Amino acid sequence: MQHEKRFAACAAHSMPGARLKAVAGVLAVAGLLTMPVQAQTNGTEGDAAQAPVATLPQVTVQGIRLDTSIQQLNESVDGGALGSKTQLETPFSTTVVTGEDLERRQVTKLGDVFTLDAAVSDNSAQDGAWANYLTVRGLQLDWQNGYRIDGKPFLSYVTVLPYEQLERVELLKGASGFMYGFGSPGGIINYVTKRPTDEPVREVSLGYHSDSIFRESADIGGRAGHNDWFGYRLNVTHEEGEGFNKSKLNRNAVSLALDARITEKLTWDMQALYQHRKTKDPEPTIYTGLYAATDLPSPVRNNEKLVGDGTFVDNEFRYFATGLEYQLAPTWKVRTDFSHATTRTRRAEEVIFLRNQAGDYDDYRSDYGEFYQFNSWQAQVEGRFQTGAVGHDLVAGIAYQDQHTDLAANGIYKQIGTGNIWSQNNNAFYTSGTMDTGLGMYRANTITQKSVYASDTLKFSPEWSLLAGLRYTNYEQRTFTPAGAQSSVYKKNGVLTPTLALMYNFTPRTMAYVSYVESLEPGTIVGSTYANAGALLDPLKSRQYEIGVKTEQDGWSATAAAFRIEKAAQYTNASNELVQDGESLFQGIELGASTTLGDWFLGGTAMALDTEYKKGVANIGKRVAGAPRFIAAAQVGYNVPQVPGLQLYVDAKYTSSTPLRPNNEISVDSYTLVNIGANYDTRIHGYDTTFRLAVNNVFNKKYWMYQYSDYIKAGDPTTVSLSASMRF
């Protein structure tokens, strides 16, 4: 598909000086009101018993939390096709961002979720087609196959999930073919929704985001019935207002989670999520494919000057999942899950075609729509047993998923005028019709995946263990014309994706590993313009090798990993044939550490990355577009002893220059962003209350941000977020 590269829009938010002063005044008043009230140092709730959920394997935790705890690598997690293992037992690198951290930093877009992970570079915008563009280890994630909710697939294009309704966000770095089937070797993101807890949840929140966006939300949950057999969790959010660039946001989201302990051995759970999110006048993306100079113009801020009248993004997302789990024996269980997800979008977006260093551009507008649907089913058995002196952790299952894509036959994409990035955009283009009318929607393609998988972790001693797994996949893709006629059929059976890992535990808290895993990306039917037209190409198979060590000690933790990813690629050879023996190489080192020193919390991550177009026709030996050479992130936090419950923090992230094109003729300059914030936990009239302040890009840095090959966006200016939550 090309439309994901052509159209983009986003809305981000900032606050001018006058409103900054207003916010400071509000904080001062809040402080005066709460000072006479008894404060407490811990505003978090106790650990809540969670219903079983499908999550990604959590291992190399790179995020730093501003509380008195260190991430526990011994915590048990559900690793999908790998089964339930502790983080120390899982030989892959993963970042976990908790819901607590999402709330503390007032996250509004995907790139900000992983601010503290140096392996991740931000390509996202808050709205529009670029909402879920992210680069991990120099590879962009696959918006068709690279995103999950509770381990189940959905298509993330355009959709920004309600972060305030998530328990955490997980990132599995690198190839994931064995765990989840098709997907980019960059990694997989899994959003974990909030579930019923044993302790009652009663929380309301009010939020503000510059310039004048206000949010109200409620989180209610608990258990009922005999022996608390029934659990529920309801989250509701409304957000509305105007951003700093005059973009207008209206968002309504609701999620419901239920579970039932039917018998001592049988449990049931259900999750549902609905969100309607509409943005008017979002920012444009900037295309540089026609730009001839070797240096970009001086950066401009993402502001109202870039926005022309008439643009909008109207996105409606639905998700439903349900599952049953049965405990066969003390060490054996079986689980089955079904999920259904739909994404419907109507968008009239703006793309600026930058022409020269003076900032002149051609203004292109689109009127487009798409509808995506995912259905999935999975059954899995998991158990432990012994054969002589060797222990086994066995996981086996079958999985099915189908995807349907509807596109607009009557979409519009045309130039409507010209402009300059330093002058007000006065071009206007208005569309007619609704989300469901005027576009001539038709079924463009269907994709089906059927898989069988199994893995076994063999434990030879308390120190040594070996993981071996294999997935067998049948794949089918059909495409159709706007008139409804089938235009192509692609089938490939028996595609194998293995994984293999050797692990050594120096101590129960320190583990080293070496692992190998593959990823799969769909092959294609060669088009009519090639000499081998009609040929059926195999799925693209990439390979990842990783060696790492991680330790979790009292008061500190550290991780280190070295990786090599050989990404397969297709290209046109000298005989005008589309072939698949191309390759790009990604290799690097990741480091992470965090510690507690009295009232201080310190942590940081770093990644050094070397990339190269290794095989193919063009750009051999060049760095891969979108892959920075070095990224570093750090955070310092302080629990103020004079004001119990008050936490202050500052974090910074440096991203080195990034090649904008495969030929490396032009690059996006390096930049550093600094954020500050504060949390204050107290009690008001006997109720636990938390005030939060987050200021992003505190020095108002101007910068260009890489989004895609030959696509950039203007960096967001200083933004301010303020919230208050009360628990009843």
Side-chain angles (χ1 to χ4, degrees), residues 189-208:
I189 286 177
N190 185 43
Y191 301 97
V192 181
T193 57
K194 292 181 176 179
R195 301 297 184 92
T197 61
D198 285 342
E199 296 296 324
V201 177
R202 303 287 188 273
E203 182 175 336
V204 294
S205 299
L206 299 176
Y208 167 89

Side-chain angles (χ1 to χ4, degrees), residues 261-267 325-330 333-334:
R261 301 163 182 170
I262 301 173
T263 69
E264 290 185 356
K265 296 183 177 181
L266 180 64
T267 58
E325 184 172 300
Y326 187 76
Q327 196 73 36
L328 297 169
K333 64 181 180 182
V334 61

Side-chain angles (χ1 to χ4, degrees), residues 567 569 571 581-585 612-618 620-621:
K567 185 183 186 303
Y571 66 95
D581 60 344
E583 182 181 282
S584 299
L585 180 63
E612 181 183 0
Y613 292 107
K614 197 71 174 178
K615 297 179 182 178
V617 173
I620 299 297

Side-chain angles (χ1 to χ4, degrees), residues 111-300:
D112 292 341
V113 172
F114 301 102
T115 293
L116 299 178
D117 190 343
V120 179
S121 46
D122 183 14
N123 313 136
S124 69
Q126 188 165 303
D127 303 290
W130 304 93
N132 291 295
Y133 275 52
L134 209 67
T135 296
V136 181
R137 294 177 169 179
L139 297 117
Q140 282 199 309
L141 299 192
D142 176 4
W143 54 264
Q144 290 199 83
N145 300 289
Y147 295 81
R148 304 260 160 172
I149 297 177
D150 298 328
K152 303 165 183 75
F154 79 105
L155 202 144
S156 69
Y157 195 58
V158 184
T159 300
V160 180
L161 291 183
Y163 295 111
E164 68 279 351
Q165 300 183 11
L166 300 177
E167 191 69 34
R168 63 184 181 274
V169 183
E170 304 169 338
L171 168 62
L172 171 63
K173 302 174 187 176
S176 59
F178 166 71
M179 283 75 82
Y180 293 100
F182 283 83
S184 163
I188 295 284
I189 286 177
N190 185 43
Y191 301 97
V192 181
T193 57
K194 292 181 176 179
R195 301 297 184 92
T197 61
D198 285 342
E199 296 296 324
V201 177
R202 303 287 188 273
E203 182 175 336
V204 294
S205 299
L206 299 176
Y208 167 89
H209 193 62
S210 56
D211 262 3
S212 60
I213 295 177
F214 294 89
R215 171 175 57 87
E216 307 88 38
S217 61
D219 183 2
I220 302 171
R223 307 202 70 83
H226 181 66
N227 291 329
D228 292 335
W229 73 277
F230 177 76
Y232 61 95
R233 189 76 174 269
L234 175 67
N235 277 263
V236 180
T237 302
H238 172 71
E239 189 174 32
E240 186 174 1
E242 185 175 275
F244 72 92
N245 61 357
K246 308 307 177 183
S247 64
K248 298 171 182 63
L249 173 67
N250 192 308
R251 176 172 70 100
N252 294 287
V254 58
S255 62
L256 176 66
L258 305 174
D259 69 34
R261 301 163 182 170
I262 301 173
T263 69
E264 290 185 356
K265 296 183 177 181
L266 180 64
T267 58
W268 166 82
D269 59 81
M270 184 277 287
Q271 303 82 43
L273 191 157
Y274 172 83
Q275 179 176 260
H276 185 202
R277 193 176 196 273
K278 186 171 183 178
T279 301
K280 295 180 64 178
D281 300 324
E283 67 164 319
T285 192
I286 301 174
Y287 177 64
T288 65
L290 305 180
Y291 188 80
T294 57
D295 293 312
L296 292 171
S298 298
V300 298

Side-chain angles (χ1 to χ4, degrees), residues 430-448:
Y430 295 93
T431 66
S432 59
T434 67
M435 185 181 291
D436 300 307
T437 63
L439 294 176
M441 303 297 291
Y442 72 99
R443 177 61 45 87
N445 65 67
T446 62
I447 301 174
T448 303

Side-chain angles (χ1 to χ4, degrees), residues 470-481:
L470 184 67
R471 179 182 286 263
Y472 177 99
T473 301
N474 292 341
Y475 178 85
E476 179 180 298
Q477 178 173 336
R478 299 177 182 270
T479 60
F480 304 89
T481 68

Side-chain angles (χ1 to χ4, degrees), residues 407-425:
L407 300 178
N410 302 326
I412 297 172
Y413 186 66
K414 65 180 182 179
Q415 183 180 351
I416 66 164
T418 60
N420 187 278
I421 60 175
W422 285 287
S423 301
Q424 180 62 51
N425 186 332

